[in-house]
Amino acid sequence: MVLLQKENVNGVLLSAGLALPAYFLGICFPIIGGPVFGILLGIVLAGITRPASFEPGIRFTGKKILQYSIILLGFEMNLFNVIAIGGTSFSVMIFTLLTSFVVAYGMGRVLHLDFGTTILIGAGTGICGGSAIAAVAPVIGAKDKDIIFSISTIFLFNIIAVFLFPFLGHVMGMSDMGFGMWAGTAINDTSSVVAAGYSYSADAGNYATIVKLTRALMIVPVCVIMAVFMAHRKKNQNGQFEIKKIFPWFILWFVAASIINTTGILPTSWSHVLGNAGKFFIIVAMVAIGLNTNLKSLVRNGIRPIVLGLTTWFCVAVMSLIMQHFWGIM
């Protein structure tokens, strides 16, 4: 790991200070979430002239602090969740994940979107929203604008899903387990999954939460696969293949943290504190990314990521229903 160096202190402290109000706003408005508030606050302040001494720390925060936050999130992951949902539910999850990436990649090419934006929206839709975007971004070398496009797009459809999914679930007469599976595999952010699930029923909310937390563990294989893909891509460009230079080593620490939490070595209160620290540092990183944003560039390209996100989200939601119908879960 890269330790915090003196030249990075100013930028890190600035980002952390701005993240505090975003964090509390996220608590007050959990459907929106702290990361979205963090990005918005960063973008609003990006146009204000600041001393050059802040720049190294802001860049460090948007890259390295982002990785450290993912490691801390591992302390709230429980590997037994994979066993709890069963093989049938796991198969639904795998098919929705594959659908997300295939549709996102195809539509990204049709819409002529950057590779980074395409993959991040695919990851955010298929895995777990902002956390997946934060994990995959450093693996593929995503630009700040790619992260902002993807986070904003995922947020939009999270809000819509909270109100739309329970209504459609009742129209289709879905069982509690069926709706929980649907919400857990087709809604992105945890807060939105919980809100939609428990508005349907308590049992649906419980099951949706388990599915969602298990789905979040897909961060690990996806990041490893992306690392291998990026290594091959670089080989095709310059004839070199060095997986160790691009492998997401922070993901191994994430796995280690997940194993520690699963074994129960750490008290639950400690795991909760570390997990919350990870969520806060994601907001800190989002503030830094917002501070380095060119708002005019976002406005010029804003509609295409939304079209990509809508198409991908729709296909994932439909695939979840198809697989549930096949397995008789609905």
Side-chain angles (χ1 to χ4, degrees):
M1 291 188 187
V2 178
L3 298 176
L4 182 62
Q5 298 176 343
K6 185 177 179 180
E7 63 267 23
N8 296 328
V9 171
N10 288 343
V12 171
L13 290 178
L14 174 63
S15 301
L18 294 175
L20 285 172
Y23 175 78
F24 287 111
L25 283 170
I27 293 175
C28 296
F29 304 96
I31 299 302
I32 298 176
V36 174
F37 282 119
I39 282 180
L40 291 176
L41 185 58
I43 291 174
V44 168
L45 300 177
I48 299 176
T49 302
R50 55 182 181 257
S53 61
F54 286 97
E55 300 309 316
I58 291 174
R59 289 193 298 270
F60 174 85
T61 303
K63 303 291 183 185
K64 292 299 179 181
I65 297 296
L66 190 59
Q67 295 180 22
Y68 300 157
S69 67
I70 298 301
I71 296 171
L72 290 172
L73 289 181
F75 287 104
E76 283 195 326
M77 297 295 173
N78 193 315
L79 301 178
F80 287 134
N81 286 333
V82 178
I83 300 173
I85 67 163
T88 299
S89 301
F90 190 70
S91 69
V92 176
M93 196 178 303
I94 293 299
F95 272 92
T96 55
L97 180 60
L98 291 173
T99 298
S100 182
F101 278 106
V102 170
V103 173
Y105 182 75
M107 280 301 298
R109 297 196 60 154
V110 171
L111 295 169
H112 303 291
L113 278 166
D114 290 345
F115 175 80
T117 301
T118 298
I119 294 301
L120 292 185
I121 289 178
T125 304
I127 308 175
C128 57
S131 297
I133 291 169
V136 173
V139 178
I140 65 173
K143 299 174 183 176
D144 287 351
K145 69 179 183 65
D146 298 329
I147 297 174
I148 291 176
F149 280 143
S150 54
I151 289 281
S152 302
T153 299
I154 295 301
F155 155 70
L156 173 63
F157 296 116
N158 279 338
I159 297 296
I160 294 173
V162 170
F163 300 100
L164 182 62
F165 269 55
F167 170 75
L168 293 178
H170 286 298
V171 168
M172 292 185 287
M174 298 182 74
S175 66
D176 289 337
M177 181 179 178
F179 184 81
M181 172 59 67
W182 193 36
T185 53
I187 302 177
N188 307 310
D189 189 72
T190 302
S191 61
S192 298
V193 170
V194 171
Y198 282 104
S199 69
Y200 196 80
S201 73
D203 288 340
N206 291 336
Y207 193 71
T209 302
I210 293 174
V211 171
K212 174 64 180 64
L213 293 175
T214 306
R215 181 177 161 206
L217 292 171
M218 294 298 104
I219 286 175
V220 177
V222 166
C223 283
V224 173
I225 291 170
M226 283 296 162
V228 173
F229 174 78
M230 292 301 293
H232 277 287
R233 196 179 189 206
K234 287 197 171 186
K235 178 185 178 183
N236 292 334
Q237 292 173 351
N238 55 32
Q240 295 179 341
F241 181 86
E242 294 185 81
I243 186 66
K244 66 180 181 180
K245 287 188 176 182
I246 198 169
F247 186 83
W249 297 106
F250 69 95
I251 287 297
L252 294 183
W253 289 103
F254 171 85
V255 172
S258 300
I259 292 173
I260 291 171
N261 184 57
T262 303
T263 60
I265 296 174
L266 281 179
T268 303
S269 58
W270 288 24
S271 296
H272 186 64
V273 168
L274 291 170
N276 279 338
K279 294 170 187 174
F280 175 72
F281 284 126
I282 283 182
I283 299 173
V284 174
M286 292 302 115
V287 168
I289 288 168
L291 288 171
N292 277 331
T293 298
N294 185 321
L295 187 58
K296 291 182 180 179
S297 175
L298 289 183
V299 172
R300 283 197 302 268
N301 298 283
I303 189 64
R304 289 181 296 158
I306 293 175
V307 173
L308 172 61
L310 175 61
T311 306
T312 306
W313 181 51
F314 175 79
C315 291
V316 166
V318 170
M319 177 56 72
S320 178
L321 293 175
I322 291 173
M323 290 302 298
Q324 288 188 68
H325 179 74
F326 177 79
W327 287 108
I329 300 176
M330 295 177 66

